[in-house]
């Protein structure tokens, strides 16, 4: 008598056992942390808007004017946050970025107000270009010096950059004797936004259409690369959803910035200067995307490519994951550290250009406490203080979250002390959530 094996039931597919939401996120490959940040940002916006409506009788947060200004205010911090991601991924920190911003802004102010007009003549069209190059180069030199001390002299990044915070802030004061340098070159001032520092309605639609084409091209190119290397393909419906979502968000942003008109006084002055007739109901001229926002977008795209499509980016993550193993694998970790801090300094210089252009002056108050907001933006955006984990888009979203908190608290009348308490609490909570995420994802 032979034993007949009893057929065992086939286990249920692991995919079918998942919840619909999990299957959706897996099919579309949307980062759950990104969803969480967007959800938190939406709650902040809605909360401040309705709180203002209840207390003041009207909600001022979710308006084209406030959201446009919010995007401009985020630009300076967001630019530096993209560099801070690399610094923190490699298990370092940079406490000097605010002071570097202040010093480079002061140097650029002196160059374009006192130096270049004497050499090139007042109103020369190249003053603003030379000024920006000088600011970025000065920031890069300072960052290189920090990186050299950290990588080749073995001084901890915390100490080097803490000392840099004090040294460069003092240098900025001495450079101009404590004076405010203004006004900056008119073309340079456009980098800070404002009615003239924006691309207008037509320019915004051109930017939006190009961005939509870029989204569709990325989806198509990514699918071809997956097919070429026999990687798992996303379902067609997931590809279509991502395309519609991306293009929808871009078009929504274009409609939003085009809904914010120039102030009446500026419109009347513009019409008078250009011999235009203003109708009785007024002339509607859209701001469109502000130039500093476009600068932030370009920096974000370039930094994302650097981190995800180059050997440099792979080395950054390798050093953050395990510095000893990276060195044994042949990566020159010291040279990489120096390059990362150089890049951080250059981004601080670019941010100094945006910040001083927005104020139309270089002051000693520029960049004060910015280092805290930059670090908070990177951490809130998912960059792990333990190293080896972080995204550029997450840091930009983190900067938007930080600026939203500040702007919202100002609109509803919170004192500066309350604002500092909230920002500090959010930073601590972000680090706690990061530690919790790392433990649960293991």
């Amino acid at each position: 008598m032979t034993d007949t094996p009893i057929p065992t039931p086939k286990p249920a597919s692991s995919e079918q056992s998942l919840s619909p939401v999990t299957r959706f996120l897996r099919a579309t490959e949307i980062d759950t942390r990104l969803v969480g940040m967007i959800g938190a940002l939406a709650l902040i916006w809605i909360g401040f808007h309705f709180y203002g409506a209840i207390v003041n009788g009207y909600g001022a947060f979710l308006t084209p004017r406030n959201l446009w200004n919010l995007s401009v205010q985020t630009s300076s911090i967001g630019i530096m946050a993209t560099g801070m991601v690399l610094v923190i991924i490699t298990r370092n920190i940079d406490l000097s970025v605010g002071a570097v911003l202040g010093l480079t802004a002061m140097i650029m102010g002196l160059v374009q107000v006192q130096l270049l007009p004497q050499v090139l003549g007042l109103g020369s069209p190249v003053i603003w270009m030379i000024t920006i190059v000088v600011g970025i180069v000065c920031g890069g030199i300072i960052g290189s010096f920090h990186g050299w001390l950290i990588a080749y002299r073995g001084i901890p990044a915390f100490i080097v950059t803490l000392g840099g915070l004090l040294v460069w802030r003092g240098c900025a004061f001495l450079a101009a004797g404590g004076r405010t340098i203004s006004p900056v070159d008119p073309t340079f001032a456009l980098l800070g936004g404002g009615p003239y520092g924006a691309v207008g309605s037509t320019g915004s639609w051109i930017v939006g259409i190009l961005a939509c084409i870029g989204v569709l091209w990325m989806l198509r190119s990514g699918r071809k690369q997956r097919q070429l290397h026999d990687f798992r393909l996303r379902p067609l419906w997931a590809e279509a959803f991502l395309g519609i979502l991306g293009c929808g968000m871009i078009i929504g942003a274009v409609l939003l910035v085009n809904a914010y008109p120039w102030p009446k006084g500026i419109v009347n002055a513009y019409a008078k200067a250009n011999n235009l007739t203003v109708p009785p109901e007024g002339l509607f001229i859209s701001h469109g995307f502000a130039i500093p926002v476009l600068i932030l977008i370009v920096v974000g795209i370039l930094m994302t490519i650097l981190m995800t499509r180059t050997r440099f980016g792979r080395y950054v993550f390798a050093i953050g994951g395990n510095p000893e193993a990276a060195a044994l694998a042949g990566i020159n970790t010291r040279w990489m550290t120096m390059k990362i801090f150089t890049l951080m300094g250059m981004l601080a210089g670019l941010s100094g250009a945006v910040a001083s252009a927005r104020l139309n002056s270089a002051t000693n108050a520029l960049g004060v406490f910015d280092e805290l907001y930059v670090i908070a933006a990177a951490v809130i955006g998912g960059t792990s203080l333990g190293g080896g984990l972080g995204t550029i888009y997450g840091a930009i979203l983190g900067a938007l979250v930080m600026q939203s908190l500040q702007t919202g608290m100002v609109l509803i009348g919170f004192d500066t002390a309350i604002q500092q308490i909230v920002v500090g609490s959010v930073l601590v909570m972000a680090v706690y959530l990061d530690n919790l995420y790392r433990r649960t994802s293991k």
Side-chain angles (χ1 to χ4, degrees):
M1 183 176 178
T2 59
D3 294 331
T4 303
I6 301 174
T8 57
K10 294 182 180 181
S13 171
S14 58
E15 189 74 19
Q16 294 177 352
S17 63
L18 299 175
S19 67
V21 174
T22 304
R23 289 201 302 270
F24 172 80
L25 293 174
R26 180 172 294 185
T28 56
E29 299 179 1
I30 296 176
D31 187 358
T32 53
R33 302 185 81 175
L34 174 63
V35 175
M37 280 189 290
I38 293 176
L41 185 63
L43 288 176
I44 291 171
W45 287 7
I46 295 172
F48 279 129
H49 185 79
F50 282 100
Y51 184 90
I54 294 172
V55 174
N56 302 322
Y58 63 94
F61 197 96
L62 293 177
T63 60
R65 176 183 179 180
N66 183 63
L67 294 179
W68 190 91
N69 287 321
L70 177 63
S71 67
V72 174
Q73 294 162 2
T74 303
S75 301
S76 177
I77 297 297
I79 290 170
M80 291 191 290
T82 62
M84 189 62 72
V85 171
L86 279 68
V87 173
I88 296 179
I89 284 178
T90 53
R91 305 186 183 188
N92 289 302
I93 200 72
D94 193 342
L95 300 175
S96 67
V97 291
V100 174
L101 181 153
L103 176 58
T104 54
M106 190 62 69
I107 291 173
M108 285 185 284
L110 293 170
V111 165
Q112 64 186 304
V113 174
Q114 297 184 6
L115 178 61
L116 291 181
Q118 297 180 0
V119 177
L120 301 174
L122 189 64
S124 174
V126 298
I127 287 179
W128 70 276
M129 291 185 283
I130 297 175
T131 300
I132 294 173
V133 171
V134 168
I136 294 176
V137 169
C138 288
I141 292 173
I142 294 172
S144 298
F145 180 59
H146 289 171
W148 178 75
L149 291 175
I150 295 165
Y152 292 95
R153 289 297 173 261
I155 306 176
F158 181 88
I159 299 300
V160 170
T161 57
L162 179 60
L165 184 154
L166 302 174
V167 169
W168 307 127
R169 184 63 66 189
C171 288
F173 184 87
L174 293 174
R179 294 178 291 115
T180 295
I181 306 300
S182 66
V184 299
D185 181 78
T187 306
F188 181 87
L190 300 180
L191 300 177
Y196 295 107
V199 297
S201 177
T202 303
S204 296
W205 279 114
I206 293 173
V207 171
I209 291 171
L210 292 176
C212 288
I213 294 173
V215 168
L216 298 177
W217 178 83
M218 288 175 58
L219 290 172
R220 179 178 174 80
S221 176
R223 190 171 185 86
K224 283 187 175 181
Q225 289 295 321
R226 288 168 182 251
Q227 290 174 336
L228 180 63
H229 299 287
D230 292 328
F231 289 168
R232 174 181 172 272
L233 297 177
R234 281 191 291 253
L236 288 176
W237 67 262
E239 300 276 10
F241 172 81
L242 292 174
I244 294 172
L245 178 63
C247 293
M249 292 177 65
I250 292 169
I251 293 173
V254 173
L255 293 173
L256 174 66
V257 295
N258 284 345
Y260 178 38
W262 284 12
K264 291 182 179 180
I266 296 178
V267 169
N268 293 333
Y270 176 81
K272 183 178 180 180
N274 292 273
N275 295 321
L276 299 176
T277 302
V278 179
E281 65 275 9
L283 190 63
F284 188 96
I285 301 178
S286 298
H287 277 78
F289 284 113
I291 291 177
V293 176
L294 296 180
I295 293 174
L296 173 59
I297 292 172
V298 171
V299 169
I301 292 173
L302 293 178
M303 291 293 289
T304 300
I305 293 173
L306 180 69
M307 290 294 290
T308 60
R309 296 285 187 261
T310 66
R311 181 184 299 177
F312 179 89
R314 292 194 295 272
Y315 285 178
V316 168
F317 284 107
I319 294 172
N322 192 322
E324 293 79 12
L328 293 173
I331 299 175
N332 190 338
T333 56
R334 293 191 296 181
W335 177 233
M336 281 293 299
T337 299
M338 188 168 174
K339 288 195 289 186
I340 289 169
F341 276 90
T342 301
L343 180 59
M344 181 71 256
M346 294 172 67
L347 290 171
L350 178 59
S351 185
V354 171
S356 58
R358 183 165 173 262
L359 289 179
N360 198 30
S361 63
T363 71
N364 289 287
L366 271 177
V368 174
F369 291 131
D370 275 9
E371 54 277 344
L372 303 182
Y373 294 112
V374 171
I375 294 171
V379 174
I380 290 173
T383 304
S384 174
L385 291 172
L389 184 64
T391 59
I392 300 300
Y393 64 81
I396 295 175
L397 272 176
L400 185 57
V401 168
M402 293 296 298
Q403 194 59 53
S404 297
L405 287 171
Q406 278 191 292
T407 301
M409 288 185 288
V410 169
L411 285 176
I412 61 180
F414 279 8
D415 293 335
T416 302
I418 301 298
Q419 296 177 32
Q420 293 175 347
I421 291 172
V422 171
V423 171
S425 301
V426 169
L427 177 58
V428 174
M429 181 60 67
V431 175
Y432 169 74
L433 293 176
D434 171 68
N435 291 336
L436 186 64
Y437 177 83
R438 287 171 68 89
R439 286 199 300 267
T440 56
S441 60
K442 290 182 179 179

